[in-house]
């Protein structure tokens, strides 16, 4: 048994969990009118309501006890203090420095990183002004109309998600496009829609060695050169965001047109750095600053609020509660805002790449569940697709419902209808509908006898399904920054409880290595030994058809 599962706090939670068997959320609500008042946290136009969870005051006390036992506070302070908590890569973890709006010095090995952060931000902002004001011109003197960000993983998902979420603040004469997949269809479809004379390519890669990104970048440059561009004008159309100036120069981008960041910014935590350039170009430096300010407000809350009044801590602990003590393997994120359509995809990388680990910080196998499967779709679309399983399936799936009180597009009754669905879903999941209620309903519909009995079990909802509701006044840059930082810190909290390193991602390497072996085989350069299935599949691909 691991130290964690042997620990007093863990055992106390296991015993407490057993004592809650058979306790239904609807009964907890009926017995306690104060749940909503006690189980909510508000901060700067954002509210977390966590009353619809299988918890009591004792649960929260035991969960915060677990956090204390696992040294959450010292670990949090170590992150904010620039210590090298990413032990397998020997790096500090300082995305919080990128949005440190008060200029509190943040030291890594005794050196303050803040001047460097400010310097890159100032260069980014100056560049944004030039492009946005039409001062930055393409090869034939026209202003830029289209921005194509080429990157993948953390160099894509954050910029895509945020750019889409902040659509109401977009520059009226700029359009953003994102190319990530190595599938040639992705870049082909984007290049079909843009004009080389007025397009700016951002090649975004922390390492500048990522196969997909470099393939797309080369294809973009070849297309540019074949369509009116020249080697001399590449500099007006290609900029890079990277930590690797050597590889950027090798690719042929003038390092004057490179925006740097640092090894202490993890890919999936990098949208606050120069990786956010497409966002800043589209919404402008002022709005980008508000995004950073929102994240900073959440950082300060996480850093200073007591554990039991701390949004990321509570979200993280609730996830541990369900994953480790109730057997929940998945977690749904359900944004009731069309602008947040890509939030679930973004959170899949943030959470699953961070906490999808099965050895602890010392390399010992864990004997407890770690990060959950994250999925989601914007409401109300998800309701008409997979909510059936959440309501009546055999898996317990805790859900986060996220919604703005005010819409950016008030259109007739739409927003009230949207929000009525948000609130109804959390109520339905919590309450369910018991046999007596279903029976009464069927009788009111005029059913009776065998027909009623046959239908009855299908229409029962067990309820007792836990949800969090995150309401924001409106989805503006500041609130979006808060929301993303909330999830970043939630993931951190869980990693600390599970004693895993949330900041490496060795699990993505094996597939990359093997793809390098298979690629030459698909390009006619001989074959290599594999298992029978892989050999067979390579043969079919090389043969050009499946049979
Ligand atoms: O920014 P890059 O160095 O191109 O990396 C892009 C992505 O690829 C890697 O394989 C990692 O799994 C991601 O965490 C990273 O964000």
């Amino acid at each position: 048994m691991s130290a964690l599962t042997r620990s007093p706090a863990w055992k106390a939670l296991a015993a407490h969990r057993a004592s809650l068997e058979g306790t239904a959320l609807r009964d907890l609500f009926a017995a306690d009118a104060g749940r909503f008042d006690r189980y909510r946290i508000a901060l700067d136009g954002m509210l977390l309501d966590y009353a619809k969870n299988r918890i009591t005051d004792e649960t929260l006390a035991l969960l915060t006890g677990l956090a204390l036992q696992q040294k959450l506070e010292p670990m949090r302070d170590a992150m904010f203090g620039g210590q090298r908590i990413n032990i397998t890569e020997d790096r500090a973890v300082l995305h919080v420095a990128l949005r440190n709006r008060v200029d509190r010095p943040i030291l890594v090995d005794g050196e303050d990183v803040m001047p460097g952060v400010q310097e890159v931000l100032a260069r980014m902002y100056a560049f944004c002004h030039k492009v946005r004001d039409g001062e930055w011109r393409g090869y034939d003197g026209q202003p830029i109309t289209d921005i194509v960000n080429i990157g993948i993983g953390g160099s894509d998902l954050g910029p895509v998600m945020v750019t889409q979420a902040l659509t109401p603040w977009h520059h009226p004469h700029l359009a953003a496009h994102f190319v990530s997949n190595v599938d040639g269809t992705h870049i082909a479809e984007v290049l079909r829609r843009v004009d080389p004379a007025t397009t700016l390519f951002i090649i975004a890669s922390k390492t500048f060695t990522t196969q997909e990104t470099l393939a797309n970048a080369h294809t973009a440059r070849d297309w540019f050169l074949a369509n009116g561009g020249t080697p001399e004008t590449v500099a007006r159309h290609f900029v890079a965001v990277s930590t690797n100036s050597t590889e950027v120069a090798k690719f042929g981008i003038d390092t004057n047109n490179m925006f740097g960041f640092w090894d202490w910014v993890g890919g999936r935590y990098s949208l606050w750095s120069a990786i956010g350039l497409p966002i800043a170009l589209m919404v402008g430096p002022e709005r980008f600053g508000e995004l950073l300010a929102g994240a900073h407000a959440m950082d300060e809350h996480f850093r200073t609020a007591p554990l039991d009044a701390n949004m990321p801590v509570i979200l993280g602990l609730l996830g541990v509660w369900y994953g480790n003590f109730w057997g929940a393997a998945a977690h749904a994120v359900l944004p009731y805002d069309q602008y947040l359509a890509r939030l679930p995809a973004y959170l899949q990388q943030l959470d699953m790449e961070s906490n999808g680990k099965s050895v602890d910080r010392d390399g010992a196998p864990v004997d407890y569940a770690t990060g959950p499967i994250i999925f989601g779709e914007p409401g109300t679309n998800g309701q008409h697709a997979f909510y059936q399983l959440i309501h009546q399936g055999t898996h317990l799936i805790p859900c986060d419902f996220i919604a703005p009180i005010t819409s950016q597009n008030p259109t007739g009754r739409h927003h009230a209808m949207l929000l009525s669905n948000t609130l109804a879903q959390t109520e339905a999941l919590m309450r369910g509908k018991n046999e007596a209620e279903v029976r009464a309903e069927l009788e009111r519909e005029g059913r009776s006898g065998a027909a009623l009995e046959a239908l009855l079990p299908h229409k029962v909802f067990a309820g007792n399904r836990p949800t969090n509701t995150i309401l924001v006044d409106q989805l503006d840059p500041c609130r979006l920054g808060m929301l993303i930082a909330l999830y970043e810190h939630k993931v951190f909290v869980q990693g600390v409880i599970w004693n895993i390193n949330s900041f490496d991602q060795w699990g993505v390497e094996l597939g990359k290595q093997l793809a390098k072996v298979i690629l030459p085989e698909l390009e006619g350069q001989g074959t290599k030994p594999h298992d029978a299935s892989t050999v067979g599949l390579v043969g079919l691909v090389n043969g050009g058809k499946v049979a």
Side-chain angles (χ1 to χ4, degrees), residues 151-156 204-213 241 261 266-268 270 275 349 353 505 508-509 512:
I152 196 165
S155 301
D156 169 69
S205 174
K206 180 176 171 182
T207 55
F208 228 78
T209 56
T210 303
Q211 187 201 42
E212 292 89 337
T213 300
V241 179
F261 57 115
R268 54 193 172 275
S270 63
I275 289 291
Q349 188 200 16
E353 199 171 68
Q505 55 284 317
V508 302
E509 296 302 325
K512 289 187 198 173

Side-chain angles (χ1 to χ4, degrees), residues 384-408:
H384 295 270
F386 55 80
Y387 281 31
Q388 164 67 38
L389 186 149
I390 300 178
H391 280 285
Q392 285 189 316
T394 53
H395 300 284
L396 173 68
I397 304 183
C399 308
D400 292 348
F401 285 75
I402 303 166
I405 291 179
T406 302
S407 170
Q408 299 295 337

